[in-house]
Amino acid sequence: MMLPGLVIRSSSIHAAGCYTMRPIKKGARVCEYDGPRMSKAAADDRYEGRFVTYLFACTGNEVIDGFGTAMFLNHCCDPNCETEQDEDGRIFICAIRNIAAGEELTYEYNLHDSDEDDQDCYCGVGICRGTMFSDTELKRRARIARRKAAAQPQAASVR
């Protein structure tokens, strides 16, 4: 499922992006994030050492190995789309506001539980967090860092 009028071309955010050639109304389903489904462990084995993947985490331990238009939607800290899962477990990209013709389609990746230390964001919007991690993940990482710092023995000051 994909709205007509979507094109893939160069993006200032990251490599290629998905753009609409027609206006899209708030609430419209833009496209489906589809592709083969597999366990996270199977995806980790398949893509070990690869820098770029198009994996979308679903509920439970399942991921979608992105294939098609949706894999070209880039992350943005001030997106014009969001993801929605239906009762059958299908993932759709939906407009969260009216989108003008010519706009790049974006959504927040809200990464979490990644083994990576950083997942830099290059969206360039004024409220950019500088990372593709979710606010929840950033708070979790800050709590861990505080606990580690508190557990470190304090060096005695020498006079």
Side-chain angles (χ1 to χ4, degrees):
M1 178 256 148
M2 177 178 82
L3 285 179
L6 300 182
V7 296
I8 309 302
R9 65 175 192 233
S10 291
S11 167
S12 62
I13 297 174
H14 175 76
C18 181
Y19 295 80
T20 180
M21 298 292 90
R22 298 178 180 184
I24 298 175
K25 289 192 179 278
K26 177 181 179 178
R29 283 186 172 172
V30 176
C31 58
E32 182 176 358
Y33 203 104
D34 57 357
R37 291 174 180 251
M38 63 190 72
S39 70
K40 185 175 180 330
D44 288 346
D45 289 344
R46 176 182 268 185
Y47 294 111
E48 184 178 349
R50 250 179 99 182
F51 178 68
V52 176
T53 63
Y54 299 97
L55 300 173
F56 189 101
C58 300
T59 54
N61 190 35
E62 187 175 60
V63 297
I64 299 173
D65 189 357
F67 180 80
T69 304
M71 68 187 239
F72 291 101
L73 272 73
N74 286 314
H75 165 86
C76 184
C77 296
D78 187 20
N80 51 23
C81 296
E82 67 184 2
T83 60
E84 172 186 286
Q85 185 169 349
D86 75 3
E87 60 280 352
D88 296 324
R90 294 169 64 189
I91 305 294
F92 293 94
I93 310 295
C94 302
I96 57 175
R97 63 168 173 78
N98 290 333
I99 303 171
E103 279 191 68
E104 181 173 1
L105 303 176
T106 59
Y107 68 97
E108 281 196 72
Y109 286 4
N110 287 317
L111 299 181
H112 62 280
D113 295 332
S114 175
D115 295 333
E116 302 294 323
D117 287 335
D118 58 349
Q119 293 291 326
D120 296 337
C121 175
Y122 302 104
C123 71
V125 299
I127 61 169
C128 181
R129 293 187 308 272
T131 181
M132 292 184 283
F133 286 123
S134 69
D135 287 336
T136 304
E137 177 66 7
L138 291 173
K139 289 174 186 172
R140 184 186 76 80
R141 287 170 179 246
R143 281 192 309 274
I144 291 169
R146 283 192 304 272
R147 284 185 201 132
K148 283 183 179 177
Q152 296 293 323
Q154 298 297 319
S157 59
V158 179
R159 294 195 178 235

